[in-house]
Amino acid sequence: MTTRSTVTTKDKVRDRLMITLQKLGLPVGPIQLLTVPGRKTGQPHTTPVAPVLVNGTYYVTQAYPHASWVKNARAAGHGKLARGRHGQEVDLVEIPEGERAAILRELPGQNPRGVGAFVKNGLVEAPTPEAFAAAAPHIPVFRVVPRTPAQA
């Protein structure tokens, strides 16, 4: 399976729209904003994500191969997750490949509109729980751990 490695202009416009709506306090669907410090400059970078809730824990996944936010999250290990005007500082803990399948299996049921990006980008063969589980080695997954005020 070949993966698409570039973000299209349409993707960028959609992301900017989602960021703008969220910052205006108008959340859309399951979308939240993840802001992580850049690994080189330390400057904050924001991207829309759709967290998956599994057994009371939120996870964020990436539908776009080679996304900068994933590299930044790996380097920083933390960020801010916001919905509308409300946000929380979080730690981002990458899940080992062997543990990702159970989490990814939940994604099609929780975000049926979002699974198309995974298929379109060649990460998943079909929008089914089984296909997402099979693609676990190729999809980064981060556990979202809320920080207490003393940690932030």
Side-chain angles (χ1 to χ4, degrees):
M1 183 173 1
T2 303
T3 58
R4 185 180 76 146
S5 62
T6 59
V7 177
T8 67
T9 300
K10 181 180 174 182
D11 296 329
K12 290 177 185 178
V13 169
R14 185 194 59 245
D15 285 355
R16 293 298 330 148
L17 177 63
M18 288 296 123
I19 291 169
T20 300
L21 290 172
Q22 289 279 342
K23 288 184 176 182
L24 289 171
L26 302 169
V28 177
I31 300 298
Q32 295 187 36
L33 298 182
L34 178 64
T35 302
V36 293
R39 63 194 176 284
K40 296 177 185 172
T41 65
Q43 295 298 311
H45 295 277
T46 301
T47 191
V49 295
V52 177
L53 181 62
V54 180
N55 297 325
T57 300
Y58 282 102
Y59 297 87
V60 291
T61 62
Q62 177 53 292
Y64 296 89
H66 317 296
S68 292
W69 82 257
V70 171
K71 296 172 190 172
N72 291 338
R74 285 177 178 145
H78 64 91
K80 182 177 182 178
L81 194 60
R83 179 158 174 80
R85 293 185 177 140
H86 305 284
Q88 181 173 23
E89 296 293 326
V90 297
D91 287 321
L92 300 167
V93 180
E94 189 163 13
I95 303 301
E97 287 181 20
E99 298 172 27
R100 295 177 190 169
I103 297 158
L104 291 169
R105 192 173 270 116
E106 299 295 322
L107 204 147
Q110 290 188 32
N111 187 5
R113 291 187 66 195
V115 299
F118 289 88
V119 175
K120 175 181 76 174
N121 293 332
L123 291 170
V124 181
E125 291 196 14
T128 65
E130 296 76 22
F132 272 82
H138 309 292
I139 301 174
V141 177
F142 292 85
R143 181 174 44 248
V144 176
V145 181
R147 286 183 161 193
T148 62
Q151 291 175 301

